[in-house]
Amino acid sequence: MRNKDKKTGSPFHSLVIKVFASLLFIVTSLVTVASTVGIVLMSEEGYYSGNLVPLDESGLVNGWMYDDARDVFNTYVYWYIQPEGTRDKGYNLAAFKKMYSADKTNFIFKVLDEENQLVLTNTENPDTSIPESRYIVHTCFFANGEFFFYYGEDYQYYTDNGFYYIQNGIIYFVDEYESSIVEVSNLELKEYSLFYALADPISADDRYSLPAKFYEEAFLYRYDAIILCLISFVIAVLLFIYLMCSAGHRRQSDEIRPNLQDKIPYDIYLGIIVGMVALIILCTSEILESASLNTLPVNGLLILLCGTVVIFLLLALCMTTASRLKLGKMYRNTFVFFCLMLFIKMNRKFFGTIKRIFYKLPSLWKTILLFGLAAMCNFIITVMLTGGYGGLAAFFWLLFHILILTLLCIYTSQMNDLKKGAERIAAGDTEYKIPTNSMFSSVKHCSEELNCIGTGISKAVEEKMKSEHLKTELITNVSHDIKTPLTSIINYIDLIKREEIENEKVKEYLEILERQSSKLKKLTEDVVEASKASTGNIPVELMPINVTEIINQTIGEYSERLDQCNLRPIVNSPEEPCFVMGDGKLLWRVIDNLLSNVCKYSQDNTRIYFDIFNDGMKVHIIVKNVSKDVLNISADELMERFTRGDRARSTEGSGLGLSIAKSLTELQKGEFSLSLDGDLFKAEIILPQVAKEV
């Protein structure tokens, strides 16, 4: 059962129609060419201008007439003008006379000597019937009773036993048998002229009669040839357009499908067609040169056959070209492209092998190899300079050093890119990638390694941040979970204390519970605050703040505790107040945490220094105190959460104060740092300075 969905092509793409169109195109093309040639020839003969050229002056018989004139001169005239005793008995003058009589040939002639005296003719009225516009001239001489045409002094005139030659007007005879040279006499030359034409009218039945008849008949159909040429040309053009459009199509499908000739490499196909056309044109020229009246029908058929084959070959070339253009990428189906791809493939394998070997070499050997190549090039250029190739050597020297300079510039640029990338990655920009396109292998390898390091650092930082975030969430969630039952415990302790309890032991236990629950409450609050500060969940309201006032205020609130510890605060501040852009509550919390640590860990009977100064752009707050315990811990460790100054953890505190202070300072776009010098503890806060309070 036939598939109804199958696509079918146009019926105009049928093979029968295309074959018929091709044959008709060949016929119309032949007619067009033949009629065009005929029109050109007729226009040259005056068919269309009204000045019809006589037959004997036309190119149709001009060559024949010249050949006949030479034949007459070399046979009839040659023997006629010789003296009686020198004529060869084998030549019958009566036979020549009959051959060139008026009833045998339409070719008429007359021969005149140097004095314009008539020597020989084959017509009754030579003076009136033969114009003097066409003629040939021969010069003759006699030597030892022999007659020769004269061709110049450099020419040798052969006889049976030797030859004559002429030098300085004297004739010499070279006897080849006796090996002698004999002077004959002074040279006497005689000049004869032969004038020729065609009889009017053409009466004899010779080779001129048929061209004369054709010459007259063609004049009657001169305009029909133009009409025939135009019609055949239009038909040929239309057929050519159809054939080009249908090339590659099939009746069964609309797709372009190559046939057998379309699969032949195009350049080979083109070479075969051009070679065959050139060979046929050469054969046609040989046929035209050898054409004669007797062989005219055969020669005509041969020329027609050659023209048909040429048009067929050119049509086949055009059709396969059209099919290949429709298929696209015509250059791929060429022998040259195949050879080029093979050459490129072989070069890739060869240079790829060299490249792999070169890459496996150590850097030192690579440098030695490149230096050796450069030295060899310099040596060759030096040899060329000393060998007389100065201009060419100078050109190669300049080209070589430009190449070296270019490579060095590229290498330097790539090293700069590598250095820039390393600096950015070292500065913390782990997302930066060094561009590795078109880099040298060694530089590219280092760049890729640096990019991998940056990627690894980014992943490590991301994992660390994720871990810290999970840790913070865990601490916050646990703190919230502890806070609810802890509040209940504190409330119940307060209720129990309100009862009248006489047992002293119970009272002591309640005081311990109250103290520890308060401590636990403070710890959970610190944990929640630290979590909020580190994640930035605390609202910040930045405004100008007088640093000296807030420090003095905090010191005032801690005056009782400072007195208990015998600690004396000393504030060193400039005369003019220092204003910073910060949040008052958060800054107070930072100072509060620092003073809380001071009260816990400072040596009794010491001073606490608060140094305040500005550097023009920022305000520095430095808090210094002397620790009562040995500081056997680094400043970075002190900044970590849940780290306390006394490793025995005998004092109160959660170890979160400094971490909270740092986070709160950073929320105010400031900096917080610690430093230790023996027992000297120093904390520094840096905040942006503002000109004055708003």
Side-chain angles (χ1 to χ4, degrees), residues 259-265 269 315-317 319-320 324 333:
N259 54 26
L260 182 61
Q261 70 168 354
D262 297 335
K263 298 178 181 179
I264 301 174
Y269 188 88
L315 178 61
L317 177 63
M319 291 191 70
T320 188
R324 295 167 194 260
N333 189 21

Side-chain angles (χ1 to χ4, degrees), residues 272-500:
I272 293 173
I273 295 296
V274 172
M276 293 179 66
V277 170
L279 182 62
I280 293 172
I281 292 175
L282 182 62
C283 294
T284 304
S285 63
E286 292 292 333
I287 293 173
L288 291 174
E289 290 179 1
S290 62
S292 63
L293 185 63
N294 297 328
T295 61
L296 184 60
V298 177
N299 290 339
L301 289 176
L302 289 176
I303 292 173
L304 180 63
L305 178 62
C306 290
T308 302
V309 174
V310 167
I311 295 175
F312 172 76
L313 293 175
L314 295 178
L315 178 61
L317 177 63
C318 293
M319 291 191 70
T320 188
T321 302
S323 298
R324 295 167 194 260
L325 289 174
K326 293 176 184 178
L327 290 170
K329 296 182 179 180
M330 184 175 68
Y331 64 91
R332 289 184 174 273
N333 189 21
T334 59
F335 183 71
V336 173
F337 181 78
F338 171 77
C339 294
L340 181 62
M341 290 296 101
L342 181 62
F343 177 75
I344 292 174
K345 186 176 180 181
M346 294 177 64
N347 276 340
R348 284 179 177 174
K349 288 185 177 180
F350 175 75
F351 287 108
T353 304
I354 298 297
K355 185 178 179 181
R356 286 191 295 272
I357 294 174
F358 183 77
Y359 284 168
K360 291 180 180 179
L361 290 175
S363 299
L364 177 61
W365 286 105
K366 289 180 182 179
T367 305
I368 294 173
L369 181 60
L370 292 175
F371 178 80
L373 290 175
M376 184 176 66
C377 292
N378 271 320
F379 175 76
I380 294 173
I381 293 173
T382 303
V383 171
M384 293 176 65
L385 284 171
T386 57
Y389 299 94
L392 184 62
F395 170 75
F396 280 116
W397 180 88
L398 180 63
L399 185 64
F400 173 72
H401 284 83
I402 289 175
L403 177 62
I404 294 296
L405 178 62
T406 303
L407 292 176
L408 287 175
C409 291
I410 294 173
Y411 184 78
T412 304
S413 175
Q414 293 178 1
M415 291 301 295
N416 287 334
D417 292 341
L418 183 62
K419 179 182 177 183
K420 178 183 176 182
E423 291 175 348
R424 292 189 62 171
I425 292 174
D429 187 4
T430 57
E431 298 296 330
Y432 179 77
K433 300 296 180 184
I434 302 173
T436 59
N437 296 333
S438 304
M439 277 189 170
F440 294 135
S441 59
S442 57
V443 183
K444 184 177 182 180
H445 179 71
C446 292
S447 300
E448 290 174 347
E449 292 296 328
L450 280 176
N451 289 338
C452 291
I453 291 174
T455 303
I457 293 174
S458 297
K459 290 182 179 179
V461 171
E462 184 179 352
E463 292 294 330
K464 181 68 175 177
M465 292 179 65
K466 184 178 180 181
S467 175
E468 288 293 330
H469 182 70
L470 291 175
K471 186 189 298 183
T472 302
E473 285 186 353
L474 175 62
I475 293 172
T476 303
N477 293 334
V478 171
S479 299
H480 279 288
D481 292 340
I482 293 174
K483 190 175 181 180
T484 301
L486 182 61
T487 303
S488 299
I489 292 172
I490 293 172
N491 291 334
Y492 278 110
I493 289 173
D494 185 58
L495 291 175
I496 293 172
K497 286 178 66 177
R498 293 179 183 180
E499 297 293 333
E500 294 181 0

Side-chain angles (χ1 to χ4, degrees), residues 3 17 74 156 190 250 312 367 379 400 521 580 603:
N3 189 0
I17 296 178
N74 293 331
Q156 295 177 349
K190 291 185 179 180
R250 301 290 185 274
F312 172 76
T367 305
F379 175 76
F400 173 72
K521 180 180 179 182
V580 297
Q603 179 68 36

Side-chain angles (χ1 to χ4, degrees), residues 10 60 168 247 472 572 606 631:
S10 172
L60 189 62
N168 298 327
T472 302
N572 298 319
T606 57
L631 294 175

Side-chain angles (χ1 to χ4, degrees), residues 142-181:
F142 293 90
N144 292 334
E146 294 186 86
F147 180 81
F148 299 96
F149 281 126
Y150 178 74
Y151 298 109
E153 292 196 357
D154 295 331
Y155 194 81
Q156 295 177 349
Y157 306 90
Y158 286 89
T159 63
D160 294 336
N161 57 348
F163 64 88
Y164 293 92
Y165 72 92
I166 302 170
Q167 187 175 6
N168 298 327
I170 300 175
I171 303 175
Y172 296 93
F173 178 72
V174 179
D175 193 330
E176 295 181 344
Y177 295 102
E178 297 182 3
S179 301
S180 62
I181 300 176

Side-chain angles (χ1 to χ4, degrees), residues 1 14 21 51 62 83 166 168 189 205 227 236 269 292 339 393 429 444 474 479 484 511 518 557 568 590 653:
M1 184 175 180
S14 171
N51 299 321
N62 226 348
I166 302 170
N168 298 327
L189 303 176
D205 186 13
I227 297 173
Y269 188 88
S292 63
C339 294
D429 187 4
K444 184 177 182 180
L474 175 62
S479 299
T484 301
E511 289 178 359
S518 299
E557 293 178 1
R568 179 185 173 191
V590 172

